[in-house]
Amino acid sequence: MLRQRLWMIPIGQWVGYLGAALALWALWEGLSPWWLLAWASGHVLGGLAISVALHRYFTHGAFQTTPFWHTAMALASCIVLQGSPLAWAAAHQTHHAHSDGQGDPHDTRLWYLLWKTYRAVPMVRWRLQALLDDRVLKAVHRNALVVALAWVLLLLALGLATGTFLAPLVFGYLAPMGTVQLVGAVHQVASHRGGGARDMPWLEWLLPAAGEWRHAHHHDHPRDAQLGRRWWHLDYGWWFIRAIRTK
Ligand SMILES: [Zn+2]
Ligand SMILES: [Zn+2]
């Protein structure tokens, strides 16, 4: 049986938080503010990896795409240190099946902003069977950490080759992962306040999450690949899906 990799999530969270602190310190020390563009781009891409790849595609099967994008999204899912699509899908399906109840693995206490752990509940497994039949996903699950480390080495090599040293790694990966993790944590804590899923699309402008702030809509229609219905819902996850979907 494949083992869960949810333990990666709080580690990824703190690698990201420390990366963001390092990036702010480097800017304070006089590094060019142009590096903020790399941070913003990384934040958008990381948000897409979670919202489009892990959430809408692998977990909910909300659209179909080509083998190229299937593989690219599987790799991206590991690079954002979310424990591979198999682990994420099981936890998230369980959240949908038991949201706000005893069987919900999601913790909505403020503590989650600092340490992303999940409540130990029996996991819903029906979605896993379809994912387990997928050779790409099985390989990626077994090598999730290797994929993430390969990405780190690639960015380090880029820094050495261009004389920018740690900047591509910190601003292109670690700092964006910090803000993606922070937004994800606030989303989990805030979107189920008051005993049910909530729609707060205006928060997309403050804490961009690729369209995920329409969470009540998502719980009502989990297989709807389009979360936003108005331009100001800023569902850039859907804009990306429109470009890569085949069905
Ligand atoms: Zn929810
Ligand atoms: Zn969902």
Side-chain angles (χ1 to χ4, degrees):
M1 188 53 218
L2 292 165
R3 289 182 27 216
Q4 297 286 345
R5 298 285 174 81
L6 291 172
W7 54 265
M8 263 193 204
I9 296 179
I11 294 173
Q13 177 186 24
W14 271 94
V15 167
Y17 286 177
L18 294 173
L22 190 60
L24 290 174
W25 174 78
L27 290 167
W28 178 260
E29 288 292 311
L31 189 77
S32 165
W34 284 105
W35 282 101
L36 286 169
L37 279 180
W39 189 342
S41 309
H43 182 91
V44 168
L45 290 173
L48 290 176
I50 292 177
S51 173
V52 172
L54 278 168
H55 188 202
R56 301 186 221 188
Y57 181 67
F58 289 121
T59 303
H60 291 297
F63 66 96
Q64 291 179 16
T65 189
T66 61
F68 170 82
W69 282 110
H70 179 83
T71 307
M73 288 196 288
L75 294 172
S77 300
C78 299
I79 289 169
V80 288
L81 288 178
Q82 295 287 306
S84 101
L86 291 164
W88 207 93
H92 189 72
Q93 285 291 351
T94 310
H95 166 64
H96 273 268
H98 301 288
S99 59
D100 309 302
Q102 288 294 320
D104 189 353
H106 281 193
D107 192 340
T108 55
R109 292 172 300 173
L110 287 175
W111 175 250
Y112 186 79
L113 302 177
L114 294 178
W115 193 252
K116 289 186 169 187
T117 49
Y118 292 81
R119 294 169 58 210
V121 294
M123 291 288 176
V124 169
R125 308 173 76 88
W126 65 265
R127 176 71 181 151
L128 278 185
Q129 203 48 55
L131 298 178
L132 274 169
D133 292 338
D134 186 307
R135 276 189 310 130
V136 172
L137 285 189
K138 260 205 283 203
V140 155
H141 180 84
R142 290 209 175 92
N143 299 294
L145 209 51
V146 177
V147 172
L149 287 175
W151 183 247
V152 166
L153 288 177
L154 190 74
L155 291 172
L156 274 177
L158 182 69
L160 288 175
T162 57
T164 52
F165 304 104
L166 287 177
L169 175 67
V170 172
F171 284 86
Y173 181 40
L174 301 182
M177 202 160 60
T179 47
V180 165
Q181 294 274 9
L182 182 63
V183 167
V186 176
H187 182 276
Q188 182 163 313
V189 170
S191 63
H192 279 269
R193 283 273 135 184
R198 299 165 68 185
D199 273 345
M200 295 177 281
W202 51 274
L203 267 175
E204 202 65 54
W205 294 83
L206 287 175
L207 300 167
E212 291 286 333
W213 284 107
R214 288 202 75 222
H215 200 58
H217 170 86
H218 172 61
H219 271 267
D220 290 342
H221 309 279
R223 282 178 60 84
D224 186 357
Q226 182 181 3
L227 299 178
R229 283 295 186 275
R230 307 254 186 279
W231 68 267
W232 61 270
H233 291 163
L234 278 188
D235 182 9
Y236 51 92
W238 169 243
W239 305 342
F240 183 72
I241 290 168
R242 267 200 314 204
I244 66 163
R245 70 177 170 162
T246 51
K247 233 203 265 178

